[in-house]
Amino acid sequence: MEMMVAEERSEEGIEIGAGMGVKIETPVIVLNEKAYAESMGEKGFELAEMCEEVAVEKGVNIAICPQQVELALIASMVNIPCFAQHVDAVEPGSHTGFITLESVKEAGAKGSLVNHSEHRLKIAEIDFIIKKAVSLNLLTIVCTNNVAVSKAVAELKPYAIAVEPPELIGTGRAVSKVDPGIIENTVKEVKQVDEGSIVLCGAGVTNGEDVRAAIELGADGVLLASGVVKAEDPRAALLDLVSGL
Ligand code: G3P
């Protein structure tokens, strides 16, 4: 399949800011496909296409983080924003198996998750990635685990911060219900540092009520995985989730 460069495609849900490069519309649901068997290969494509269909049908903003090996193909297949799940703090060159921001750009992605709790980085690496992403007009969603880390990361000026208490990930116990303070305080601290930063939250978010609660607490959207990827009926699960936007 001919690789289409992102800029050649008209993008749904992507607004080209004046001189600001791309950005994502909010409130937004970002689906992280992780490395689940349920999101590998063809199943990953189906999930991405389903996200695009629901986004168009319901007029809501959904972005997706495909499995890394399918990023380029899925980014060329759908018109919703695609993000890498991870990038490495390296320049192009002899770095076997590493993922550069340049390759993510060439794949047609809008940016990348950074420092996910399942793929932590050093602060210097996060700083390198954020700076290089800006130079490449890519968006960074930097994952954090609490308010203090979110505040520190905000000083590096990422495009977005996604606060996720690791102990709630995959539990179905939503951060917006179990620990609303982490969302409220992260929003407050991050926006004090950088009013323009987007704040997402995640971990255990599985239904529309969890999403609604997160937004009422000040979040610009949610980052989630198992509530859709591992659902009996992923489309029904996603439709429930978007009802909270
Ligand atoms: O990247 C989002 C993820 O860590 C949240 O996982 O399964 O609790 O939605 P989950």
Side-chain angles (χ1 to χ4, degrees):
M1 171 179 288
E2 185 206 339
M3 187 75 67
M4 294 175 74
V5 175
E7 288 72 18
E8 290 168 5
R9 294 183 291 118
S10 63
E11 288 101 4
E12 290 279 71
I14 295 291
E15 184 189 321
I16 306 295
M20 293 284 289
V22 295
K23 61 180 187 173
I24 50 174
E25 293 295 325
T26 58
V28 62
I29 288 176
V30 182
L31 176 64
N32 179 3
E33 290 195 352
K34 296 197 177 181
Y36 288 118
E38 296 89 340
S39 64
M40 268 191 319
E42 184 63 29
K43 294 177 196 150
F45 308 155
E46 287 164 6
L47 281 169
E49 286 172 338
M50 176 200 68
C51 286
E52 180 176 45
E53 286 162 10
V54 170
V56 172
E57 179 190 321
K58 295 296 181 186
V60 295
N61 302 303
I62 300 174
I64 189 158
C65 313
Q67 291 210 21
Q68 300 285 58
V69 291
E70 277 112 22
L71 177 61
L73 190 51
I74 288 178
S76 70
M77 284 168 59
V78 297
N79 266 326
I80 53 172
C82 288
F83 285 79
Q85 295 182 16
H86 167 81
V87 283
D88 293 290
V90 294
E91 299 289 354
S94 54
H95 304 290
T96 303
F98 282 70
I99 298 164
T100 63
L101 279 145
E102 286 84 352
S103 63
V104 164
K105 176 92 178 170
E106 283 301 302
K110 290 292 168 268
S112 182
L113 301 184
V114 181
N115 191 51
H116 191 280
S117 64
E118 295 151 6
H119 209 140
R120 284 287 187 229
L121 294 169
K122 298 187 182 81
I123 191 79
E125 293 171 315
I126 297 170
D127 187 35
F128 173 98
I129 290 166
I130 291 170
K131 289 188 170 77
K132 179 175 270 275
V134 169
S135 72
L136 293 169
N137 221 3
L138 288 171
L139 309 181
T140 48
I141 301 175
V142 180
C143 299
T144 60
N145 57 314
N146 61 36
V147 177
V149 172
S150 300
K151 187 177 176 189
V153 166
E155 295 290 347
L156 303 178
K157 301 285 192 279
Y159 180 74
I161 282 176
V163 63
E164 292 195 306
E167 67 278 8
L168 296 178
I169 290 175
T171 65
R173 296 173 56 236
V175 58
S176 46
K177 300 284 181 55
V178 173
D179 188 358
I182 198 171
I183 301 171
E184 269 182 323
N185 293 321
T186 294
V187 169
K188 176 170 154 282
E189 293 294 345
V190 168
K191 302 273 185 182
Q192 258 175 9
V193 172
D194 179 6
E195 177 58 34
S197 186
I198 284 176
V199 177
L200 308 178
C201 63
V205 175
T206 54
N207 59 47
E209 189 41 48
D210 297 340
V211 173
R212 184 175 301 106
I215 290 168
E216 283 170 1
L217 289 162
D220 297 301
V222 295
L223 175 61
L224 55 92
S226 56
V228 173
V229 177
K230 295 183 75 69
E232 277 295 303
D233 181 343
R235 182 184 295 271
L238 185 58
L239 286 168
D240 182 0
L241 284 155
V242 302
S243 70
L245 287 177

